[in-house]
């Protein structure tokens, strides 16, 4: 392809709103243009690379036994009402009415149409497992789209859904997709960190996120520093990260009896520490939470009866319920862990009025001792406090010498702490550190959430009706492409991995004329005959401009053809890899063969590596 | 691919709402499922064929010098307000607001984003011509979606837009796309009729539609019967069809003087014919039309001054204007021709009150003689009437002995008749006949409509600012796919042309077991090694069920492998083409070679044909 015949509007200027390097380079290299906030147009170069990412994703999903289908982008709201997400999804779900007044959404993810399609076709266990995917346009009504396609409104996502008769079959599929994802990212030249993640509102258990490091990442990730000679690969999203206990269970036999103390005008833990001249670690911080749509099976937890009067009916979620959550004074409650533990749609701190109503004390004096109105949930750290301080459920009063097990017991004890840099690795005890990351893919076991809400069933071997168990597998294509640029660039521009480069070779004639033109045309034709994708810079521009553009758009191999090197018995051209500084002179007649050998080897390596 | 591992839910039942054969077969063969009215999901077989159509379209557009880009599907409403189509487009344009209250549309066509992109990048004539296209999801908010994907709400369209410095460059591009379309449809195995069409609301001149015959077609097409030994290929959409004059200009020298006659209670032409004992052909039917957004240059038409007081300012459209349109009594006015002639957004018959106000007579007595309040437009046929009858602008009165040129003159004379079956071909005079058709593609010269409204300019050789002239080229992929099925099927199912068949060969082992299984696996592997796409029906079903499904899904080559033919020295398999009745026995060892030779030849032929 001749540069003059394609459309590569490179820019010297950086768009004002482009703060990350991929955003800057996608615009500067003419891959992308903006139509509105969060809405973009891929130009020819960008689309070529996006298509290559798409093809890699398709091949690996096909290899993993998934079947590609394509539901519409516009989906009837009815299906979202069935699944319950019409209400639970929040403002990011773009809802609209058509001219006849019917409700529709533009799919951000597609659990509903996939589940509906399978529901209508599924009758027998013999049809399972069934694993389907699409690569299609998605839309999220982001309030603040930014970072180019890294967080746009419209984007291209591969989303897959699998349906199984049992856990083992789901496990196998989940593992296969995990491997496929690792291959996909390696083939794109990306260093991706698979981390354990919480599956959040999707419901279910077992979940892995595929992250890339990014200074502007949405996610906080925790990693283990290698401790001594030992290698440890612990990596987790803070949403789910655990850590090794930094406490030991102590006996409360020698603890003095619990004692009420006056703490006038003392409300915060800092003030209490100063007042009592002690450390935050001895405090039992008590927070009152409101939880919505709680699906936890209360019947299975002893001591629940008292809290459930009029609230619970078997198999139904509890609309609204309050909890007291206790945690050691130096730690923070991880609300995502709390949400997951309660199987709630959402948790949030209770209002001041609710706190006063439930604790019968002003804000700042909540504590677990004597609190009977709501269930008390204790973080694991609380059970190790045998001489602690906590609010006494009355204005200006606290308890000291509080011992867990002696002075109070929690209704539920669980891990709720927010793990931080400096905490200890749960695997090896090494020190954890933090990084910011962006999610490129997410796979998780959905369980029966959609089978149940959308009424999917099949007949098993015994003719009994059963629900399929589901898995769900997403991967963002635009983000993947942008992340490749984040990882592969220098000051001059993009350095494309060969697998997703828009072209393999750029030929730069110093002046597209005479013998140089003839040589450039010949080499282009020879390379194209070998299936190599060639961009020929036939423009009447200064060599410096052409070199800068070649570097900016990041084509892996550059061939410079000039009069000087062409002169003499063995006509030569200058070959340079974008990722290397040095160029080499190669005989014109041998250049096509050498280049295509190198390129095919590079391409093969990116596949074989995996 | 093994049938048991893919997802081909064939049906015996026909969906109740499927009235055309492609709709029925796409559902029965498991290519498609419905998500809601006009919204569908392509299943694996359907998507494979759609992708092949897409690839053919892409190759031919690339060959025609077009560059593929991809704007978003969701487009900011701002751009549509700039072009004016936000208001002019009607209810089929799906408009919505996002959660911040900004206006958006889901693109039905994409003049706006393409024009905006080019506007932002275009500076010099050296960048032109520029021809861009996309293959992307489109949406039309159809009130009555039907016929499956033939008239769905969401669909996949290839739409291209070209930008030029001059008419010649546009002409060349328009011709190239016309040829590319012919190749695309031929490569899909489709008989397509290119017809002259009116470019309607798109504005511009020069337009060609690519039609397929369909009993449920939206369009009426007129064709020339071959007259005698002569072949004539005249074909036109009724919207634009012309015909040979069926009248001769006569002298009015011998016509008696015009005479007012009483016609009490006589209003319709039928009543007048009976009353005057004459033929409708002598009547001058006069209809009052209201036209909206008239962009015609009135200054260029003599006699316009009288009608323009307060209405016209140079370069601006006239919001609303009335016209009297005269046509021979046996003919109908073609409102699309009228709209185009007036360069109006829309024309419609005036209300009764307006007719009475403008003609100063009750409805039914309009006529051109003495009508001075509004411009009179005469169809060509009217100028040949030299002894006619028409309304006398007063209740119960008509004129007779009316002669054009003597008793009145029109402000404009033009072709406005609706051509019908039986009229004469404008090329050869043969008799025209009608067919119904569906439009698969439409190419037209847009002119300056969008360059002007969206303010696109470039500097020409002399540094002078100019507007580019545009062309626009649409092609519906789903409709193309469905039309292939309409053309290629029999009672048993689809008969795919090899070029877009989801698989080339289906292998049907009578029982997938023992030697038969071994032979089936061997042949599959051999064919796949040659790049042939094979479906292997490994299901434990009766042979009859497998044969029916193979016929239904229409795979071009079927290989049946059974114990009987495999026995003996030269093991044989039965090969049958879907489009033929007879099968042949072929040696197992030679089958792969023979089949792949045949398939590659078939594929090559579909390309070479073109």
């Amino acid at each position: 392809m001749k540069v003059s015949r394609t459309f590569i509007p490179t820019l010297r200027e950086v768009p004002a709103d482009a703060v990350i390097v991929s955003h800057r380079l996608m615009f500067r290299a003419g891959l992308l243009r903006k139509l509105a906030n969060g809405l973009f147009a891929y130009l020819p170069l960008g689309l070529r690379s996006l298509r290559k990412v798409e093809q890699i994703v398709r091949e690996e999903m096909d290899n993993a036994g998934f079947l590609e289908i394509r539901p519409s982008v516009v989906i009837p709201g009815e299906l979202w009402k069935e699944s319950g997400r019409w209400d639970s999804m929040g403002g990011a779900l773009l809802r609209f009415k058509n001219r006849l007044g019917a409700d529709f959404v533009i799919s951000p993810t597609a659990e509903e149409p996939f589940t509906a399609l399978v529901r209508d076709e599924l009758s027998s266990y013999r049809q399972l497992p069934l694993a389907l995917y699409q690569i299609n346009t998605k839309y999220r009504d982001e309030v603040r789209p930014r970072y180019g396609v890294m967080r746009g409104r419209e984007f291209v996502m591969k989303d897959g859904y699998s349906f199984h008769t049992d856990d083992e079959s789901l496990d196998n599929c989940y593992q296969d997709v995990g491997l496929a994802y690792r291959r996909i990212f390696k083939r794109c030249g990306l260093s991706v960190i698979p981390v354990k993640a919480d599956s959040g509102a999707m419901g279910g258990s077992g979940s892995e996120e595929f992250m890339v490091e990014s200074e502007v990442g949405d996610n906080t990730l925790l990693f283990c520093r290698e401790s001594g000679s030992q290698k440890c690969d612990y990596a987790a999203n803070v949403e789910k990260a655990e850590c090794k206990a930094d406490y030991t269970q102590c006996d409360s036999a020698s603890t003095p009896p619990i004692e009420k103390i006056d703490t006038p005008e003392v409300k915060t833990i800092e003030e209490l520490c100063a007042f009592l001249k002690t450390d935050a670690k001895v405090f039992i911080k008590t927070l009152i939470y409101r939880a919505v749509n709680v699906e936890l099976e209360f019947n299975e937890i002893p001591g629940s009866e008292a809290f459930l009067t009029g609230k619970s009916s078997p198999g139904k979620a509890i609309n609204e319920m309050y909890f007291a959550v206790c945690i050691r004074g130096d730690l923070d409650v991880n609300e995502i862990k709390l949400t997951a533990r309660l199987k709630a749609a959402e948790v949030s701190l209770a209002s001041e009025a609710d706190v006063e109503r439930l604790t019968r004390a002003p804000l700042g004096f909540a504590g677990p001792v004597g609190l009977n109105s709501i269930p008390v949930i204790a973080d694991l750290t609380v059970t190790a406090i045998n001489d602690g301080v906590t609010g006494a459920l009355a204005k200006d009063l606290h308890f000291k010498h509080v011992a867990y097990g002696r002075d109070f017991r929690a209704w539920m004890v669980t891990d709720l702490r927010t793990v931080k840099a400096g905490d200890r690795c749960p695997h090896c005890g090494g020190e954890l550190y933090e990084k910011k990351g962006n999610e490129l893919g997410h796979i998780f076991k959905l369980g029966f959430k959609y089978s149940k809400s959308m009424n999917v069933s099949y007949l098993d071997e015994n003719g009994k009706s059963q629900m399929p168990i589901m898995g769900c597998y997403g991967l963002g294509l635009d983000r993947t492409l942008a992340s490749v640029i984040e990882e592969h660039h220098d000051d001059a521009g993009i350095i494309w991995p060969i697998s997703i480069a828009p072209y393999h070779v750029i030929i730069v004639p110093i002046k597209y004329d005479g013998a140089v033109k003839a040589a450039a045309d010949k080499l282009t034709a020879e390379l194209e005959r070998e299936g190599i994708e060639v961009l020929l810079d036939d423009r009447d521009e200064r060599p410096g401009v052409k070199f800068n553009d070649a570097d900016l758009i990041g084509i892996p191999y550059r061939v410079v053809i000039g009069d000087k090197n062409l002169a003499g018995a063995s006509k030569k051209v200058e070959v340079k890899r974008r990722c290397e500084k040095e160029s080499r002179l190669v005989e014109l007649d041998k250049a096509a063969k050498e280049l295509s050998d190198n390129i095919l080897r590079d391409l093969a390596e990116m596949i074989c590596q995996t």
Side-chain angles (χ1 to χ4, degrees), chain A residues 272-286:
Chain A
L272 258 180
C273 283
F275 185 81
L276 297 177
K277 300 185 176 60
T278 180
D279 187 88
K281 289 193 176 179
V282 307
F283 289 95
I284 302 167
K285 180 157 73 178
T286 305

Side-chain angles (χ1 to χ4, degrees), chain A residues 346-366:
Chain A
E346 204 181 298
V347 302
S348 55
L349 283 172
S351 67
E352 186 166 343
D354 282 328
V355 172
E356 291 181 3
R357 177 174 60 81
L358 294 165
T359 63
R360 300 207 181 102
L363 201 65
F365 300 95

Side-chain angles (χ1 to χ4, degrees), chain A residues 82 115 119 450-457 467:
Chain A
E82 277 189 49
T115 306
R119 173 182 59 193
Y450 293 91
S451 310
K452 203 167 157 183
S453 60
M454 297 185 70
N455 235 324
V456 190
S457 68
M467 279 190 301

Side-chain angles (χ1 to χ4, degrees), chain A residues 348-389:
Chain A
S348 55
L349 283 172
S351 67
E352 186 166 343
D354 282 328
V355 172
E356 291 181 3
R357 177 174 60 81
L358 294 165
T359 63
R360 300 207 181 102
L363 201 65
F365 300 95
V369 180
L371 182 60
N372 299 318
S373 59
I374 50 175
V376 173
I377 302 177
D379 177 60
L380 291 167
T381 50
V382 170
T383 63
I385 294 178
N386 70 341
D387 190 353
V389 174

Side-chain angles (χ1 to χ4, degrees), chain A residues 372-542:
Chain A
N372 299 318
S373 59
I374 50 175
V376 173
I377 302 177
D379 177 60
L380 291 167
T381 50
V382 170
T383 63
I385 294 178
N386 70 341
D387 190 353
V389 174
T390 196
L393 301 175
K395 185 171 187 326
D396 293 344
L397 285 178
H398 279 82
F399 283 120
K400 66 178 183 180
H401 305 314
V402 180
Y404 183 82
R406 186 190 73 177
D407 301 317
F408 75 101
R409 282 191 173 281
W411 168 75
M412 175 196 277
V413 176
T414 187
D415 171 37
L416 292 177
R417 73 193 275 177
T418 299
V419 175
K420 295 190 297 278
D423 286 342
R424 295 285 152 186
C425 172
H427 289 175
C428 75
E431 193 182 333
L432 296 175
Y433 65 100
E434 290 184 5
K435 280 183 185 175
K436 290 283 180 190
N438 268 320
E439 180 192 301
L440 300 187
H442 193 170
I443 64 177
F444 37 82
K445 298 180 183 171
L446 278 173
F448 297 99
K449 181 174 161 68
Y450 293 91
S451 310
K452 203 167 157 183
S453 60
M454 297 185 70
N455 235 324
V456 190
S457 68
Y458 64 90
L459 295 181
D460 68 12
E461 294 90 328
N462 306 312
K464 216 184 128 192
S465 178
Q466 301 283 2
M467 279 190 301
I469 188 164
M470 286 175 63
C472 163
Y473 319 91
L475 193 152
L477 273 70
D478 315 77
R479 280 194 158 193
T480 296
L481 186 69
S483 299
V484 171
I485 298 175
E486 292 285 333
E487 188 170 340
H488 300 282
H489 68 271
D490 61 16
D491 290 345
I494 303 170
I495 306 174
W496 284 116
I498 193 91
S499 54
I500 60 170
Y503 291 90
H504 301 130
V505 178
I506 183 164
I507 296 181
V508 185
I510 295 295
K511 198 168 163 52
Y512 190 59
D513 200 12
V516 171
K517 177 176 185 300
D521 289 345
K522 173 178 178 283
L523 184 55
T524 302
E526 287 172 353
L527 286 167
E528 287 182 343
R529 214 174 301 130
E530 298 294 319
I532 304 297
E533 299 165 6
V534 184
L535 200 57
L536 169 58
D537 195 344
D538 61 336
R539 294 176 300 166
D540 185 17
E541 294 279 2
R542 282 179 296 115

Side-chain angles (χ1 to χ4, degrees), chain A residues 254-329:
Chain A
S254 59
T255 309
I258 186 168
E259 186 184 325
K260 208 173 263 184
I261 49 169
D262 270 324
T263 51
E265 302 302 317
V266 172
K267 283 183 174 175
T268 69
I269 290 189
E270 290 70 29
E271 288 165 356
L272 258 180
C273 283
F275 185 81
L276 297 177
K277 300 185 176 60
T278 180
D279 187 88
K281 289 193 176 179
V282 307
F283 289 95
I284 302 167
K285 180 157 73 178
T286 305
L287 301 160
I288 312 299
Y289 274 97
R290 174 174 177 268
V292 172
N293 280 329
V294 181
E295 292 191 5
L296 188 69
E297 291 291 343
F298 280 79
N299 306 334
E300 294 167 11
I301 302 174
S304 296
E305 304 76 17
F307 309 115
L308 294 177
T309 324
K311 289 193 181 247
S312 161
S313 59
K316 286 208 64 174
I318 296 171
N319 286 341
E320 179 189 85
M321 193 162 170
Y322 290 86
F323 297 88
V325 176
C326 299
I327 195 162
R328 207 173 68 197

Side-chain angles (χ1 to χ4, degrees), chain A residues 171-236:
Chain A
D171 282 348
N172 290 339
C173 182
Y174 178 86
Q175 298 293 342
D176 288 348
V177 180
L179 291 173
Y181 275 34
R182 285 165 172 80
R183 279 193 295 268
I184 288 166
F185 295 120
K186 268 201 180 164
R187 288 180 63 182
C188 292
L190 264 179
S191 309
V192 165
I193 311 155
V195 301
K196 302 211 180 312
D198 182 78
S199 47
M202 312 301 289
S205 63
S207 158
E208 195 174 25
E209 285 175 338
F210 294 81
M211 293 282 185
V212 281
E213 235 188 287
S214 163
E215 33 172 329
V216 299
D218 305 327
N219 297 271
T220 301
L221 310 177
L222 286 145
F223 298 95
C224 182
R225 270 188 218 290
E226 295 171 27
S227 50
S229 64
Q230 243 188 322
K231 254 196 177 273
C232 175
D233 62 358
Y234 183 77

